[in-house]
Amino acid sequence: RHEASTWTLRTGSPYVSPEQFLGLVRAAELGYVPAKLRVARILLGNYSYVEPDIPRARKLIQESIVECGRYEKIGCRHGRVEKAFAEELLQVMTLEQARQVVVDDGICRGMTIAQVAEKRPVNLRFYLIPGKSKNNLVRAAAQLVLDSLQKAG
């Protein structure tokens, strides 16, 4: 049953009842990585039972990636699987959600990716340089917005 539940958390539909969502939130608060990732996936979506919350989703994803990295270092295969899922989760972000991501370091700290794209578009490339931005969500958002600008321009 536990394996099936974990698999559903990873691959199942993001829809859950409001009661199930509260249960997932409690499990996420206790540090259960699949629950953190499922809650983040729901928070990035557009579901009637919960308001989108990109900063909270970003925090949950980043915590999961860090925790999975620790598991991976000690040889736990689940750490690699969950880390890959966390990185995949970043791919479900819409362009509008990407534009709302707030930069948390560098000269553009505190600006949204949309503001960076408008005022300092060259800086979007900075976040794509390996090692320059440790925040995977900022990196993913910068890539999404940069791709959209290149398609438009």
Side-chain angles (χ1 to χ4, degrees), residues 13-82:
S13 164
Y15 180 80
V16 293
S17 70
E19 295 80 20
Q20 290 170 318
F21 180 71
L22 291 175
L24 285 170
V25 169
R26 282 192 289 279
E29 288 169 352
L30 292 172
Y32 185 53
V33 171
K36 284 183 179 187
L37 295 173
R38 182 77 182 273
V39 169
R41 183 176 181 192
I42 292 167
L43 292 172
L44 286 172
N46 187 18
Y47 305 100
S48 60
Y49 57 94
V50 65
E51 288 291 317
D53 188 344
I54 293 172
R56 185 172 166 206
R58 180 179 74 188
K59 182 178 182 229
L60 289 168
I61 292 168
Q62 291 298 329
E63 287 173 359
S64 298
I65 289 172
V66 167
E67 194 168 332
C68 291
R70 279 191 231 130
Y71 291 137
E72 194 173 3
K73 285 179 185 173
I74 61 170
C76 177
R77 67 181 176 84
H78 296 293
R80 286 189 298 278
V81 171
E82 298 301 345

Side-chain angles (χ1 to χ4, degrees), residues 43-150:
L43 292 172
L44 286 172
N46 187 18
Y47 305 100
S48 60
Y49 57 94
V50 65
E51 288 291 317
D53 188 344
I54 293 172
R56 185 172 166 206
R58 180 179 74 188
K59 182 178 182 229
L60 289 168
I61 292 168
Q62 291 298 329
E63 287 173 359
S64 298
I65 289 172
V66 167
E67 194 168 332
C68 291
R70 279 191 231 130
Y71 291 137
E72 194 173 3
K73 285 179 185 173
I74 61 170
C76 177
R77 67 181 176 84
H78 296 293
R80 286 189 298 278
V81 171
E82 298 301 345
K83 185 176 179 185
F85 179 63
E87 290 167 351
E88 279 178 37
L89 188 54
L90 294 173
Q91 302 305 312
V92 302
M93 192 177 359
T94 66
L95 179 60
E96 189 52 42
Q97 290 168 333
R99 293 175 54 77
Q100 294 173 19
V101 170
V102 177
V103 175
D104 58 358
D105 63 353
I107 196 166
C108 297
R109 177 182 295 174
M111 296 171 70
T112 64
I113 290 291
Q115 291 169 324
V116 174
E118 183 181 312
K119 296 176 183 171
R120 302 178 66 99
V122 172
N123 285 37
L124 289 175
R125 292 188 191 283
F126 170 83
Y127 299 110
L128 305 180
I129 300 169
K132 293 293 182 184
S133 177
K134 292 176 178 50
N135 187 323
N136 288 325
L137 194 61
V138 170
R139 190 176 306 123
Q143 183 69 60
L144 250 166
V145 171
L146 190 60
D147 289 348
S148 76
L149 290 174
Q150 289 173 343

